[in-house]
Amino acid sequence: MQEKYQPADVEIAAQDFWNQSGAARAIEDINRPKYYCLSMFPYPSGKLHMGHVRNYTIGDVLARFHRMLGDNVMQPMGWDAFGMPAENAAIQNNVPPAQWTYANIDYMKTQLKRLGFAIDWEREIATCQPEYYRWEQWLFTRLYEKGLIYQRLGTVNWDPVEHTVLANEQVIDGRGWRSGALIEKREIPMYYMKITAYAEELLADLDQLDGWPEQVRLMQKNWIGKSTGVRFAFPYELDGQPGQLWVFTTRADTIMGVTFCAVAAEHPLASYAAARDPRVAAFVEECKQGGVAEADLATMEKKGVPTGIFVTHPLSGEPIEVWIGNYVLMGYGDGAVMAVPAHDERDFAFAKKYGLPIRQVIAKGREDGFGDGSGYGGGTGSGSGAEDGSGSDVAITDFSLSAWQEWYGNKYIGVCVNSGKYDGLGYHAAVDAVAVDLAAKGLGEKKVQFRLRDWGISRQRYWGCPIPIIHCAACGDLPVPDQDLPVVLPENVTISGAGSPLAKMPEFYETTCPKCGGKAKRETDTMDTFVESSWYFLRYCCPDNDHAMVDERVSYWCAGGIDQYIGGIEHAILHLLYSRFWTKLMRDLGLFGEHRLDEPFAHLLTQGMVVAPTFYREDSHGKKQWLNPAEVDAVHDERGRAVGASLRADGLPVIVGGIEKMSKSKNNGVDPQALIEQFGADTARLFIMFASPPDQSLEWSDAGVEGAFRFLKRLWRIVYEHVSAGPVAPTPAAPLSTGLQGLRRQLHQTIGKVADDYGRRKQFNTAIAAVMELLNAYGRITDDSAAARAVRQETLEAVTLMLNPIVPHICEALYAALRPGHTLSGQAFPKPDANALVQNEIELVLQINGKLRGSLRVPVGADRASIESAALASGAAQKHLAGTAPKKLVVVPGRLVNIVA
RNA sequence: GCCGAGAUGGCGGAAUCGGUAGACGCAGCGGACUCAAAAUCCGCCGGUGGAAACAUCGUGGGGGUUCGAUUCCCCCUCUCGGCACCA
C-alpha cells in the first residue's frame, strides 16, 4: 500500500479492474431480483456540467448499494441526441449537426467513464441513430392507423423576417432572438398525439405511484386538470341563421350573473365581426402579435373589443354582448367563456376596465365545499341555503377592487341571490338545478373537462426524427410501409437557419406513393424530441434487437416498473407525463405481451437543480451574449447576491442575470473536468453528494471541495497507519473496555443509519456525515491493545464498505489493503450487530416549561414513575419549582421530561 | 398570471413521527510541529449581557394551535422550477 493517497493511480487501477472483470455488465438472470437503476439521459451539449455529475452520482450510489444488497443491477446510459442546440451550433460553426453531436457524445462519454460510474456501456443508445428511431417511426405508423395520431392546425411562433417557426425559447419579449422581428402567431398543419384519450387513466394511476414524490404527483394532477362543470350554449341569430355560442364553466351557480361573453380572436364569431368592422379586424390583427407561450399570454394586459353581436342568455333570455378577449385561448375548450364580473377576478377587472355591468348573484352564506368530497353531492337543495344561520347575506355594494377582493376573498362559494328560482341554493344544488334546466332546453349538460391538451409533435426542424408520412395528391396522407422504414435523416447538410433544410432537399422529399405508385411528397417535419425520450428506457433492455421495438427482456428488467428513476425536477410534468403516456400506448398495442406494464417508473427521485449565476452582454441588436461564470469576476453584496460583475478578459462590466439551472443556452454550466483533474473522481463524487440532499436545489460553489479531498486523504492515512502496524489478531473473547464498546456501538449505529439513508431516505449528505463522525470517534481511541486493533479492523472494513457506493475507487484500494487477497467487488453491505447496540443507561433531556434545563441519566427501560421522581429530585427542578408543586409532567419515553411549573 | 417547491450561523447544510436548534463540513481565529512554509494535529467558533456560572434573544416576516413549533394551521415577502416548440 502506498503511503500517500494518489487519486489518479487509485482510480485508473480500480477502473481497469472493473473493466476487466465486467463488473458493470447487466445480464438477465431470472433467479436473482433485478434492480433497474435509470438516470435521465443527457443531451450531448458539449461537456458535462455539475448537474450531470450530481444526477449520475446519485444513480451510481444507488446502483452500487443495490449490488451490495445482492440485486442484479442494470445501470444503462445513452444520449438524447436530437435537438435544437445542434442546429444552432451548426449555424455558428458551420459543422453538420450530426458531426457536432457525435463529437460531443465522444467527449462526454470519456468524462462519464473518468467518473467511474458503473454503467453497462454495451447498452448505450443515441436517439439520432436510425436503429433507434426506426422503431419510433414504426410505432408512429401504428398509432396513425389507430387514429391516436391525427393532423390538424396548430399555432406556432412565426418570425416574419427569417421566415422560420421559432421555439418559445427563441422568442424574447415578443421578438425573434436572431432577427429581432416582432413575432406573429401562425396556424400550420401539425400532427397531434391523442394524450387526452388517456387523461382519465393518467390521472387515476397517479394514485398507485407511491414511490413518487407527492409534489410531482400533485403537479401532474393539476396539469391534467380534471374539472367538472357545465358546458352550455348561448343561442343567437346572425343574418337570419341560427347559431350557438358554446362555453364551459365550473361556476354554473353564477349563470344569472353573466353580463357578457368573451371569445378568442380566432373564434368564428370574431372572424364574422372582423369582416364587418375594421376596428374589430384591427384588434384581431393585434391579437396575432406576440408568441404562443402561455406564460406570456397569462401575464399580458387583458384587452378586449365588443363585436356588436348579441347572443341570448339560455335561462333568462336577456341579450348578452359578445366581446373578443385577448386572454381567451382558442385551444382550450370552445374558445369562448361566459363572464360573471361579480364573482371572477379576471372578469371583474375586465368589466371595470370597459365599464361593463356587474351583477351580484352570490351572497355570503354557508361556506359550501367547492368540488369534491364536500358532503353536499347530489343535494336536492333542502340542505343548502343560508337558513343554518352561519352567515347572513351581505351584498356587494362597493365595487371598488379592494372592497371586492375583501368580500370575494379566495374563490368564495356562497348562496345564490338575484337568481330567480335558484335563490337560496348552495353551490352544488344550484349547479345541478341549472344543468337540469339547460338540458331541458337542449342547451347544455354537465361535463367533465380536462386542462390537458393533445400533444403536438410536429417540428419544422431538421435535426430530429423524420415523421413517416407520405402525402399523395390522389391517395391522401399515408404512413410509410414497414418495409420502407426507417425514413433516414440525411446527415450531410448545411443549415442556414431559415426553415428546415429537408424542405429544400428534393432527394429527401421526392418519393412515390406506396398505394398508387404515383409521384408523392414525403413529410419534411420531424418529431418533438420528447418522443425519443418517452421510451428510451425500454430500449435499453434490448438495444440490439433489429426485428422488434421491444422484446421479452423488457419483461424482466421492467417488471413492476423501473426500480429507480433519477432526474431533474424540471422534468416533473412534461417528460414524465409523456413517458407514462407512451408506456400505456405500447401496452395497448400489445407490445409487452402478457406482462402488463401500466406505469414505467416505480420509484422516482427528482433531483434539485444545480443552479449558477448568469451573466450577459447585449450586442448592438439587443441580443444577449451569455458569459460563463468561470470567465467573470462578480461583486457581491452582504447577502451574497451578485450586484455587479466584469469580464476577466477585458475588465469591462457585464450584466448580472438571475440564478438559473445550468444550461447550454445560458452558458452558466460549470465543467467538472478541472475538479476531476485536480482532485480525482472520488473527491468530485464525494463533494457533490455531501453538498446537499439530492432533492434540494444547489447553487454551485466549489468552496469546500478541499474538505472532501482532505477527508479522503485522512481516511487513506488512517488505513495506512493501521495496516502498517502489522496483522490483526482475531477479536478477543474478553469483554471490551468502555471506550471500545462505545466505538463498536457507534460503528453499528452508523451502519444502520447509512443503510437507511441510502435505501429509504436517499439522503447521502447525512450518510457521509455519519461516517465522518465515526472516524472522528475512531481517532479519539488511543488504545493499542490487540482488542483495540481488532475493533479498528472491524471499523475500517465497514467504513470502506459503507463508503463504497459514493467513493468506489479509493474503497476498492483500501479494502484490498485491509484484507489482502480479497476484493471489494462482490462484498455485501454490512449489517448492524444487535449485540453491539445494547445500552444500559440513556440520557434524557430535562425541560422546565419547555426550556432546556439539564439532563438525566436513567436505566434503559426505566418506568414513568421513577423517571418523574428522578426529574423532580434534580437540582434544576428544585431551583425552578422553589417548593411549589408542578402543574404538569410530560414524559416522552427515551427522549425527555418536561416539568410545567 | 397559474401550478409546484424553498428560505436555518460568515457559507453548504443537520435536526427522519411536534421533543436538546446549528450534527458534519467549509471559511475564520488561536495554538502545536517546522529554520520557514506547506501538509498535519489540537482548541475556539449564532447574537446580546456576564470574569464565569448562567441568563436572554434567535430557524424569511406577522399571527395562531401546543407543556413544547425549524417541524402543524392562516396571512405576507422574496427566491427557484414548470407553463405544452430549451432539454
Side-chain angles (χ1 to χ4, degrees):
Chain A
M1 184 187 186
Q2 292 276 322
E3 182 178 350
K4 268 196 78 183
Y5 172 45
Q6 306 281 8
D9 299 346
V10 167
E11 289 171 9
I12 288 166
Q15 287 171 15
D16 283 350
F17 171 63
W18 299 334
N19 289 338
Q20 280 159 24
S21 61
R25 280 290 282 134
I27 294 159
E28 294 76 17
D29 178 357
I30 51 162
N31 297 314
R32 284 169 68 201
K34 58 90 187 179
Y35 185 80
Y36 182 174
C37 185
L38 176 71
S39 289
M40 288 184 187
F41 62 169
Y43 177 77
S45 55
K47 298 168 176 177
L48 292 187
H49 59 62
M50 288 301 167
H52 294 124
V53 177
R54 193 184 196 193
N55 196 152
Y56 304 136
T57 303
I58 294 167
D60 203 44
V61 171
L62 293 173
R64 287 175 185 272
F65 176 61
H66 277 268
R67 193 200 291 168
M68 294 178 86
L69 295 180
D71 293 345
N72 187 23
V73 173
M74 168 164 76
Q75 184 174 225
M77 185 53 70
W79 309 94
D80 190 12
F82 279 136
M84 263 191 351
E87 294 189 37
N88 296 331
I91 297 165
Q92 248 172 33
N93 311 327
N94 209 21
V95 177
Q99 196 184 319
W100 182 85
T101 302
Y102 285 118
N104 289 346
I105 288 175
D106 276 352
Y107 184 77
M108 291 169 77
K109 188 172 171 181
T110 313
Q111 289 189 301
L112 289 175
K113 288 189 165 177
R114 179 66 188 83
L115 281 159
F117 298 133
I119 289 163
D120 183 357
W121 286 104
E122 304 280 310
R123 296 173 182 270
E124 181 180 4
I125 286 170
T127 57
C128 60
Q129 292 164 332
E131 299 76 37
Y132 180 79
Y133 64 69
R134 71 174 286 196
W135 297 111
E136 186 169 309
Q137 294 175 334
W138 175 81
L139 197 80
F140 180 103
T141 62
R142 293 299 177 279
L143 295 170
Y144 185 78
E145 280 158 358
K146 292 190 79 175
L148 285 162
I149 292 179
Y150 63 95
Q151 198 187 39
R152 69 165 160 88
L153 290 181
T155 316
V156 294
N157 302 305
W158 180 253
D159 185 323
V161 170
E162 294 203 319
H163 301 286
T164 303
V165 176
L166 296 185
N168 286 336
E169 190 195 46
Q170 299 171 311
V171 179
I172 295 156
D173 300 327
R175 292 174 181 274
W177 69 344
R178 263 193 265 277
S179 68
L182 283 171
I183 295 307
E184 299 164 6
K185 296 180 189 70
R186 177 173 279 207
E187 301 214 298
I188 58 167
M190 300 212 295
Y191 289 94
Y192 283 85
M193 296 195 68
K194 236 184 216 171
I195 192 171
T196 52
Y198 284 75
E200 284 285 6
E201 194 193 343
L202 288 166
L203 178 66
D205 284 359
L206 287 173
D207 286 340
Q208 77 185 54
L209 295 176
D210 47 18
W212 283 38
E214 192 53 48
Q215 69 163 288
V216 175
R217 291 198 274 174
L218 187 56
M219 279 191 269
Q220 294 217 347
K221 181 182 178 215
N222 291 337
W223 183 263
I224 295 167
K226 181 176 180 176
S227 57
T228 311
V230 176
R231 183 171 176 263
F232 70 96
F234 293 84
Y236 62 84
E237 231 184 77
L238 272 186
D239 304 331
Q241 293 292 315
Q244 292 180 335
L245 175 64
W246 284 86
V247 301
F248 175 83
T249 179
T250 57
R251 290 299 305 270
D253 58 320
T254 65
I255 195 168
M256 303 310 279
V258 172
T259 57
F260 64 99
C261 286
V263 300
E266 301 84 14
H267 193 278
L269 285 183
S271 309
Y272 177 93
R276 283 154 186 80
D277 184 338
R279 282 175 311 170
V280 174
F283 183 74
V284 167
E285 233 7 76
E286 191 190 326
C287 288
K288 281 189 185 156
Q289 292 273 307
V292 298
E294 200 202 286
D296 296 333
L297 296 171
T299 48
M300 72 188 174
E301 193 194 353
K302 309 290 178 285
K303 287 185 189 170
V305 70
T307 60
I309 298 169
F310 283 80
V311 295
T312 307
H313 192 290
L315 297 177
S316 72
E318 280 180 282
I320 301 286
E321 187 166 28
V322 177
W323 283 61
I324 300 170
N326 65 351
Y327 60 92
V328 185
L329 301 178
M330 197 60 213
Y332 189 45
D334 295 283
V337 294
M338 70 174 202
V340 184
H343 305 291
D344 178 273
E345 186 157 0
R346 192 178 59 189
D347 294 345
F348 178 79
F350 196 86
K352 292 293 279 187
K353 181 169 180 173
Y354 293 105
L356 295 164
I358 297 169
R359 183 186 303 154
Q360 182 190 2
V361 291
I362 299 290
K364 280 197 179 182
R366 174 145 125 196
E367 292 201 22
D368 187 351
F370 187 20
D372 307 327
S374 67
Y376 249 73
T380 58
S382 59
S384 56
E387 70 274 6
D388 61 0
S390 69
S392 57
D393 291 357
V394 179
I396 315 175
T397 49
D398 176 0
F399 278 105
S400 70
L401 185 62
S402 59
W404 181 85
Q405 279 171 335
E406 187 183 333
W407 187 88
Y408 189 83
N410 192 19
K411 299 264 182 243
Y412 192 82
I413 306 302
V415 180
C416 292
V417 293
N418 300 328
S419 297
K421 62 184 282 202
Y422 310 111
D423 280 359
L425 296 184
Y427 172 77
H428 284 94
V431 169
D432 287 346
V434 165
V436 166
D437 291 347
L438 287 168
K441 297 187 177 198
L443 288 175
E445 60 187 345
K446 276 197 157 181
K447 199 194 165 213
V448 170
Q449 178 162 302
F450 292 93
R451 203 187 79 95
L452 184 68
R453 306 198 296 261
D454 276 341
W455 174 15
I457 55 167
S458 293
R459 297 292 179 268
Q460 299 67 49
R461 268 187 261 290
Y462 157 72
W463 189 233
C465 169
I467 289 178
I469 289 281
I470 292 167
H471 304 286
C472 172
C475 311
D477 296 345
L478 299 163
V480 174
D482 286 2
Q483 67 271 17
D484 296 337
L485 292 176
V487 178
V488 176
L489 184 72
E491 292 197 353
N492 274 318
V493 291
T494 38
I495 313 271
S496 69
S500 166
L502 294 181
K504 298 169 200 157
M505 293 174 76
E507 66 272 31
F508 176 79
Y509 65 71
E510 282 180 356
T511 186
T512 51
C513 172
K515 198 167 172 187
C516 69
K519 274 198 163 186
K521 187 171 181 289
R522 202 180 280 293
E523 171 67 49
T524 57
D525 278 359
T526 53
M527 284 191 230
D528 181 0
T529 56
F530 271 125
V531 178
E532 285 90 63
S533 58
S534 292
W535 68 282
Y536 73 105
F537 44 88
L538 300 170
R539 189 65 184 175
Y540 279 143
C541 302
C542 51
D544 54 356
N545 191 330
D546 59 5
H547 58 273
M549 187 173 191
V550 289
D551 61 33
E552 67 286 347
R553 287 173 288 178
V554 170
S555 310
Y556 174 74
W557 291 112
C558 297
I562 289 166
D563 300 271
Q564 184 69 58
Y565 195 25
I566 304 132
I569 182 68
E570 71 270 29
H571 295 294
I573 296 175
L574 292 178
H575 162 61
L576 290 169
L577 190 64
Y578 292 149
S579 297
R580 296 180 59 217
F581 170 49
W582 262 72
T583 301
K584 291 175 193 298
L585 286 173
M586 289 175 69
R587 173 200 65 192
D588 290 348
L589 285 170
L591 297 181
F592 303 135
E594 66 223 56
H595 302 275
R596 186 181 168 99
L597 181 61
D598 292 318
E599 286 288 338
F601 313 121
H603 295 272
L604 174 69
L605 194 160
T606 46
Q607 178 202 205
M609 269 150 309
V610 181
V611 297
T614 57
F615 303 97
Y616 63 91
R617 280 177 176 165
E618 286 182 344
D619 66 13
S620 51
H621 307 291
K623 194 193 153 194
K624 286 172 177 168
Q625 307 284 347
W626 298 94
L627 300 161
N628 194 275
E631 306 163 353
V632 167
D633 288 315
V635 182
H636 301 272
D637 65 9
E638 69 273 8
R639 293 175 65 188
R641 289 190 205 184
V643 287
S646 56
L647 184 64
R648 203 164 300 137
D650 58 18
L652 298 172
V654 299
I655 302 166
V656 178
I659 294 168
E660 299 183 53
K661 72 168 169 174
M662 287 187 177
S663 72
K664 178 89 183 164
S665 58
K666 297 286 169 67
N667 190 19
N668 65 337
V670 175
D671 184 1
Q673 201 57 35
L675 185 64
I676 298 167
E677 279 164 18
Q678 193 178 353
F679 299 105
D682 279 337
T683 294
R685 296 168 59 120
L686 177 66
F687 176 63
I688 196 109
M689 289 298 93
F690 186 54
S692 77
D695 55 350
Q696 219 167 87
S697 71
L698 170 65
E699 189 178 340
W700 175 254
S701 154
D702 55 13
V705 172
E706 300 213 21
F709 186 54
R710 230 177 349 242
F711 173 73
L712 295 181
K713 279 195 290 185
R714 188 164 156 241
L715 176 63
W716 185 277
R717 196 180 56 247
I718 285 171
V719 171
Y720 176 79
E721 283 169 2
H722 172 75
V723 168
S724 306
V728 174
T731 314
L736 296 170
S737 68
T738 313
L740 291 177
Q741 254 178 40
L743 180 61
R744 270 203 94 223
R745 183 164 59 240
Q746 187 172 349
L747 166 63
H748 288 275
Q749 282 169 347
T750 304
I751 290 170
K753 179 182 171 48
V754 169
D756 187 48
D757 277 353
Y758 287 167
R760 179 182 64 91
R761 294 219 297 158
K762 305 199 168 51
Q763 188 167 301
F764 312 108
N765 55 331
T766 47
I768 295 164
V771 176
M772 286 175 168
E773 285 183 76
L774 176 64
L775 278 182
N776 289 343
Y778 176 102
R780 283 191 288 269
I781 298 286
T782 49
D783 190 342
D784 278 327
S785 66
R789 293 201 21 83
V791 173
R792 286 202 164 119
Q793 176 78 21
E794 183 190 7
T795 304
L796 294 177
E797 279 181 25
V799 163
T800 54
L801 292 170
M802 284 191 280
L803 288 178
N804 175 56
I806 294 172
V807 285
H809 309 86
I810 189 173
C811 289
E812 195 79 59
L814 294 178
Y815 194 84
L818 285 163
R819 294 190 70 195
H822 292 76
T823 62
L824 196 155
S825 299
Q827 296 293 331
F829 201 82
K831 288 195 164 60
D833 173 2
N835 293 326
L837 297 172
V838 171
Q839 266 186 107
N840 301 326
E841 264 196 334
I842 52 163
E843 193 157 280
L844 292 185
V845 165
L846 176 63
Q847 290 185 343
I848 293 162
N849 291 331
K851 287 191 175 172
L852 175 69
R853 297 294 175 192
S855 63
L856 293 174
R857 283 204 77 82
V858 297
V860 169
D863 63 9
R864 195 180 184 92
S866 63
I867 290 172
E868 284 182 5
S869 57
L872 289 171
S874 70
Q878 300 285 322
K879 182 179 155 194
H880 282 88
L881 285 171
T884 59
K887 289 202 189 88
K888 191 172 177 181
L889 268 172
V890 181
V891 178
V892 183
R895 281 215 178 256
L896 60 65
V897 186
N898 187 18
I899 302 171
V900 184

